[in-house]
Amino acid sequence: MVLKEGDKVILHDVHSKYDGETGTINGVMETMFGSSNYTIKFENGQESGIGEGALELLVEEDTEE
């Protein structure tokens, strides 16, 4: 899965106060191991250092016809 800034995601991390909430990626940082960590902005704050495995891309369906 390729995530980028501006994508809307759902956080799945039972140790986070934002678990299950929808947020927007506002920062991507590559680690020295070739993976990425993300900063997610939520309505009431943000969470940094989130791995891709804890994120679910929110696909917004186009409702216009």
Side-chain angles (χ1 to χ4, degrees), residues 13 15 17 20 24 28-29 31 41-42 50 57 61 64:
D13 183 353
H15 302 291
K17 67 180 182 180
T24 303
V28 180
M29 185 173 72
T31 68
K41 183 174 175 129
F42 298 97
I50 304 297
L57 183 62
E61 295 182 18
E64 294 182 26

Side-chain angles (χ1 to χ4, degrees), residues 3 27-38 52:
L3 300 172
V28 180
M29 185 173 72
E30 295 292 323
T31 68
M32 61 189 232
F33 302 108
S35 60
S36 297
N37 284 332
Y38 302 91
E52 188 175 298

Side-chain angles (χ1 to χ4, degrees), residues 9-12 17-23 40 42-45:
V9 294
I10 301 171
L11 177 63
H12 298 287
K17 67 180 182 180
Y18 301 109
D19 182 39
E21 291 191 26
T22 300
I40 313 299
F42 298 97
E43 187 174 314
N44 296 321

